[in-house]
Amino acid sequence: MSSDTMEAGSKTGSLQRYARVQIALHWIIALIIFGMVPVGLVMTRLDPSNLTNLLYELHKSFGLIVFGLVVIRIAARFILGAPPLEPNMPRWQIMAARVSHGALYVLMVLVPLTGWAATSACCAPVNLFWTIPLTLPIGGGFDTAGPIFLLHNIFTMAMVALVLIHAVAALYHHYSMKDDTLRKMMPRKR
Ligand code: HEM
Ligand code: HEM
């Protein structure tokens, strides 16, 4: 995952971007996660009702989709690499980018995985949109699920904090440093 110097995607003019599939996955996953967090916070605070059940089902199903997309995205990252970081970036920023990107990948796996594992332990079945059964073989009921849900919450909050810093850093590069960091992750103009 640290192969930032590998040639990735294609060259448009002099700008080396992420590959199309990586750009698409980055923004689709980000969009779903931006929806998942408020839905998670709301559904756990509502009284039981049909709406609450609907929100739980959507939360679990889109969470499973995030998990699948992240696995594909990590495979794509190993195969396609990434465009080089901006030249002349100070060493601390290079380290910060590597560490935070790695941590975001780890959290993008752990957040849905803990939700999936805990729900399987306490509250089977876990279905994808009411249909395809995807319950993990984990027993133990609420005693097992409780600590895993706690991890689910902690990892989610850590991911949200890191995403905020990540987004601010991207906007800082774009508007203040005026470099190509953000453009490398933007869809190509037709
Ligand atoms: C990127 C994916 C996910 C994100 C960002 C996310 C986020 C959250 C958040 C913010 C909460 C509310 C925590 C609280 O304040 O109590 C929550 C709760 C919950 N999540 Fe997720 N989640 C994700 C994936 C999943 C998956 C894949 C499942 C199950 C298949 C799942 C099942 C649950 C359940 C059952 C709760 C309620 C826990 C409780 O009652 O304490 N989540 N999630
Ligand atoms: C849930 C939200 C997000 C997650 C989980 C996320 C995650 C990531 C990860 C893991 C990478 C590293 C890609 C790689 O090298 O393989 C990345 C790159 C990038 N992200 Fe995000 N991101 C999110 C939202 C955003 C937002 C809102 C922005 C812009 C405001 C943004 C801008 C960028 C940019 C510009 C890069 C390329 C950085 C570089 O190559 O130097 N991301 N993102």
Side-chain angles (χ1 to χ4, degrees), residues 74-122:
I74 290 174
R77 178 64 160 84
F78 275 113
I79 295 165
L80 301 169
L85 293 170
E86 287 300 299
N88 309 324
M89 248 169 81
R91 205 174 153 65
W92 73 267
Q93 275 189 24
I94 296 173
M95 289 304 289
R98 293 219 167 112
V99 170
S100 60
H101 292 168
L104 281 170
Y105 276 121
V106 170
L107 288 167
M108 279 191 286
V109 170
L110 288 181
V111 168
L113 196 59
T114 47
W116 189 7
T119 314
S120 299
C122 73

Side-chain angles (χ1 to χ4, degrees), residues 18 26-27 73 77 85 101 105 108 163 166 181-182:
Y18 285 87
H26 175 272
W27 293 111
R73 182 168 168 194
R77 178 64 160 84
L85 293 170
H101 292 168
Y105 276 121
M108 279 191 286
V163 164
H166 172 74
T181 301
L182 185 56

Side-chain angles (χ1 to χ4, degrees), residues 83-168:
L85 293 170
E86 287 300 299
N88 309 324
M89 248 169 81
R91 205 174 153 65
W92 73 267
Q93 275 189 24
I94 296 173
M95 289 304 289
R98 293 219 167 112
V99 170
S100 60
H101 292 168
L104 281 170
Y105 276 121
V106 170
L107 288 167
M108 279 191 286
V109 170
L110 288 181
V111 168
L113 196 59
T114 47
W116 189 7
T119 314
S120 299
C122 73
C123 315
V126 180
N127 292 328
L128 188 65
F129 298 112
W130 298 272
T131 51
I132 304 165
L134 291 172
T135 311
L136 295 172
I138 301 173
F142 281 98
D143 287 346
T144 306
I148 310 180
F149 271 134
L150 183 62
L151 287 178
H152 185 58
N153 293 356
I154 293 170
F155 290 149
T156 303
M157 292 313 133
M159 184 172 72
V160 167
L162 209 50
V163 164
L164 286 178
I165 297 169
H166 172 74
V168 168

